[in-house]
Amino acid sequence: VAGAAGVHARSIAMPDGWTDEEFEVLRSPWLVFGHFALTCVLFVVWGVCQWLRSGPEVPNSVGFFHPFTSDGGGGERVLWCAVREIQRARPDCQCVIYTGDDASGEELARRAKERFGVELRTVPGVVKLRWRGLVVPERYPVLTMVGQAIGGALLTAEAVTSYRPTVFFDTVGHAFGYPVARLAGCVVACYVHYPTISSDMIARVATRSDMYNNRPAVARSYLLSAAKLAYYRLFAVAYGACGRYAACVAANSSWTAAHLRRLWRVDRVRVVYPPCDVAGLTDFSLSDRSGGDIQ
């Protein structure tokens, strides 16, 4: 009687049309573990999204991601020209600079005018990045690209949790931070000076050429070259996946644009040549020069 009752109870608990073998599969420890692991992953992703969106959301705003604003190079000129044009096109838009430098908005605006001749309409806001050291290449003697990629993602997380703009504008090329900015609810725009990895870099490793990105010890070893080639290719896939999160992509040259189209697999890459200040050249006289007329 007890055995019959057990069989009856088991048949009641079993779904209609299921055999004993199919029911046992559902009770497999691997399936239970997989379900638990998926639940944990989804819970972590939900928690990360909530954390990224915990910062103050500012409507009608653009956050310019430029951790080093005191290098004085062409990249900084691009930054200030971009800020100026946004202010000119959208006077009501609030612009902020994500930087690790100890400088106020007034100091940055004055520096833009004195160094580059770029006069901003209004003083931009400043969001101080304390984790800027995470993107310094000297911090990672090995696996430098991976270290900087993770550091760029974490630095982006610090930026958007401190100030969550409508548009997150990256002017230095930290593509691994784009998914982070998208999870935070920002539209991502970027200006890329040079791709983090290119097909040329991959080709040098594949041909075992002794170059700046391929040490002689690695180039001489078949196994090390094969391992590095696999590392480069995997990194390129991840780089392209992150780059596709950008809604607006601009490159500083046709060479960079071609590499981005190939690696990111997007067609929305526009070439915007870096702004050059040629006003000072008008002060040079063309008279009293030897060598004949200029054609």
Side-chain angles (χ1 to χ4, degrees):
V1 176
V7 172
H8 178 67
R10 185 176 178 184
S11 63
I12 293 176
M14 187 182 301
D16 293 339
W18 285 59
T19 64
D20 292 348
E21 291 76 10
E22 291 173 334
F23 188 73
E24 287 299 326
V25 170
L26 293 178
R27 300 174 59 186
S28 170
W30 290 107
L31 187 61
V32 174
F33 175 77
H35 182 270
F36 175 75
L38 179 60
T39 302
C40 291
V41 170
L42 293 177
F43 182 77
V44 169
V45 172
W46 176 83
V48 170
C49 291
Q50 294 300 312
W51 174 62
L52 291 174
R53 299 190 178 206
S54 63
E57 182 180 7
V58 183
N60 194 25
S61 59
V62 180
F64 291 87
F65 188 74
H66 203 97
F68 297 89
T69 54
S70 58
D71 52 9
E76 189 179 348
R77 180 175 178 80
V78 168
L79 165 67
W80 299 125
C81 287
V83 174
R84 181 188 61 191
E85 295 308 311
I86 291 293
Q87 292 180 345
R88 181 180 300 173
R90 298 288 298 272
D92 59 333
C93 182
Q94 182 176 351
C95 296
V96 300
I97 312 297
Y98 297 112
T99 177
D101 295 326
D102 292 320
S104 63
E106 291 77 7
E107 291 173 321
L108 293 178
R110 184 175 65 252
R111 187 185 303 167
K113 183 176 181 180
E114 294 176 352
R115 290 187 178 182
F116 305 102
V118 178
E119 187 170 359
L120 305 180
R121 291 196 168 197
T122 59
V123 175
V126 176
V127 176
K128 177 66 180 298
L129 299 176
R130 297 169 298 172
W131 300 350
R132 185 177 67 174
L134 294 177
V135 297
V136 177
E138 290 78 15
R139 189 184 185 94
Y140 312 100
V142 294
L143 299 178
T144 306
M145 292 191 302
V146 171
Q148 285 189 289
I150 297 174
L154 293 175
L155 195 61
T156 301
E158 181 193 4
V160 296
T161 52
S162 301
Y163 183 98
R164 189 152 54 101
T166 307
V167 178
F168 180 86
F169 198 150
D170 171 41
T171 57
V172 289
H174 285 296
F176 286 85
Y178 301 169
V180 176
R182 285 293 295 123
L183 285 175
C186 306
V187 177
V188 178
C190 63
Y191 185 91
V192 183
H193 300 270
Y194 194 88
T196 304
I197 189 169
S198 65
S199 55
D200 297 338
M201 295 170 60
I202 298 175
R204 294 188 191 105
V205 177
T207 57
R208 299 173 62 181
S209 302
D210 181 5
M211 295 290 289
Y212 69 92
N213 67 310
N214 202 31
R215 297 178 182 178
V218 176
R220 289 192 299 265
S221 171
Y222 174 80
L223 292 177
L224 291 178
S225 295
K228 187 169 185 176
L229 183 60
Y231 158 56
Y232 267 30
R233 286 175 174 170
L234 288 174
F235 186 88
V237 171
Y239 178 63
C242 292
R244 286 192 286 274
Y245 280 90
C248 179
V249 183
N252 73 337
S253 66
S254 57
W255 182 90
T256 300
H259 280 278
L260 293 181
R261 293 189 184 102
R262 187 179 304 114
L263 293 169
W264 293 9
R265 298 180 183 177
V266 295
D267 296 325
R268 57 180 182 274
V269 182
R270 296 186 178 183
V271 178
V272 180
Y273 295 107
C276 299
D277 184 13
V278 296
L281 300 178
T282 58
D283 296 333
F284 290 94
S285 174
L286 298 179
S287 60
D288 298 329
R289 294 195 176 194
S290 58
D293 297 335
I294 299 177
Q295 301 294 329

